[in-house]
Every structure is written in C-alpha cells, then in structure tokens.
Amino acid sequence: MSGLEVQETRDYIEHQFAVVGSEHPVFTTEAMDEIHAHTRGISRKINKVCTACLLDAVATK
C-alpha cells in the first residue's frame, strides 16, 4: 500500500484539524511537507508525528 502524495498529506492534516474545530492553521506548509517526507504519507504515521508535535508544543509552551 502506498502513502498519500504531498498535497493529499496536507489536505489530510488540515481535514483532521477541521474535524476537531480548529479555525486557524496549526502547521505551516513547510512543516506539513516535512511530516510527509518523514512519514512517506502513511496516515497512521502522520497521526503519530502530528500528535508528538502537539504534545511537545504544549509541554514547551
């Protein structure tokens, strides 16, 4: 099974934030591109990386 393309990864991340009611961008386009590069577009890995980034942001304020 192949992963999502770069734009599909961006759309996926943005959709996940929209579902939970986020009204503002959370990750920059560059950050989402890095997430894609690291996860190869695999949604399970995208979720894990995004969660880790958010937890780190909360921990470091």
Side-chain angles (χ1 to χ4, degrees), residues 35-61:
I35 291 168
H36 179 284
H38 182 74
T39 64
R40 296 172 304 195
I42 307 291
S43 57
R44 177 179 50 83
K45 291 182 178 185
I46 294 168
N47 293 340
K48 285 185 173 191
V49 169
C50 289
T51 299
C53 290
L54 293 172
L55 288 171
D56 183 65
V58 168
T60 60
K61 299 184 183 184

Side-chain angles (χ1 to χ4, degrees), residues 18-35:
V19 167
V20 297
S22 177
E23 297 178 2
H24 305 286
V26 176
F27 294 117
T28 64
T29 301
E30 293 81 9
M32 289 187 281
D33 291 351
E34 287 296 321
I35 291 168

